[in-house]
Amino acid sequence: MALRRPMVAGNWKMNGSAELAQDLFSKFARKIKDDSAEVVLCPPVIYLESVKRLMEENKEALSGSLVRMGAQNLSQHQFGAYTGEVSGQMLADAGCRYVIIGHSERRRMYGETSDIVADKFAAAQRHGLTPILCVGESGPAREARRTFEVIAEELDVVIEKNGTMAFDNAIIAYEPLWAVGTGKSATPEQAQEVHAFIRKRLSEVSPYIGENIRILYGGSVTPANAADIFAQPDVDGGLIGGASLNSAEFLTLCSIAMSA
Ligand code: PEP
């Protein structure tokens, strides 16, 4: 039986401030003394430096925990005339270990196709970053019973371009579009069903990857529903949007993951 360390990743989206980072750290430094779950903070790129500095300043207080930094997006290109974009190398230089890839907001609002997402996945790994690959179906797709088809398509493009073994250094986040930012979370059973499907699909090509990959659930996770979702056998923690902006709620989610 694989030992998968749970993870709680906070996606601030285009929210937050240097003050939020400060507030979060004054609470982290005092409260998180546990490495049984990994905690990843994904602030807007402009605050990566502040978060990195706070991590260094609180190094001693955080020594028993696993707090890391991640970005919310990266360019699929290495460098060049791509105004406004940030490369994998730049994120690695800034101290990121993780990067969210293919978030539904980027797929939907910025035209990121599965092909682009697969290229971003490769770009992240090229620079030593671990991609957190988001997949998920829309509400109409779920109603039409196309959930597995959509997830399989999103996964398969990345597998075809990068190979299954690339998932040895990756995290998957199942984020149903109808649950992200809506206040309507998937039920623990719905999450478990899709997580088991993802694990099985990867196991078919590599039992090792299927067994060991961490699959996070994301979509309106709160302290009220996290324990039941995180307790599911194929759920390895959460990707948290709204609740990551409230230090107390985020800390509670971290504690829940640590005891899951
Ligand atoms: C997200 O943005 O990845 C997310 C899961 O958001 P929320 O928790 O607010 O639904």
Side-chain angles (χ1 to χ4, degrees), residues 11 13 103 105 175 179-182 218-221 239-243:
N11 174 14
K13 312 193 190 192
H103 191 281
E105 286 154 12
E175 295 215 315
V180 172
T182 60
S220 299
V221 175
L239 178 54
I240 316 297

Side-chain angles (χ1 to χ4, degrees), residues 9-13 100 103-105 134 173-185 217-222 238-245 253:
N11 174 14
W12 293 13
K13 312 193 190 192
I100 299 170
H103 191 281
S104 55
E105 286 154 12
C134 300
Y174 168 52
E175 295 215 315
L177 274 60
W178 47 271
V180 172
T182 60
K184 182 179 183 288
S185 165
Y217 168 76
S220 299
V221 175
T222 65
L239 178 54
I240 316 297
S244 72
L245 299 171
L253 294 174

Side-chain angles (χ1 to χ4, degrees), residues 113-132:
T113 61
S114 289
D115 255 336
I116 294 174
V117 172
D119 289 343
K120 290 190 173 200
F121 186 99
Q125 292 191 333
R126 204 180 303 128
H127 297 288
L129 300 165
T130 301
I132 301 176

Side-chain angles (χ1 to χ4, degrees), residues 164-165 167-168 199-213:
T164 315
M165 289 321 288
F167 283 80
D168 197 16
R199 203 174 292 293
K200 183 162 168 285
R201 188 141 192 115
L202 288 168
S203 295
E204 280 160 9
V205 234
S206 164
Y208 171 82
I209 300 286
E211 176 93 333
N212 288 286
I213 192 153

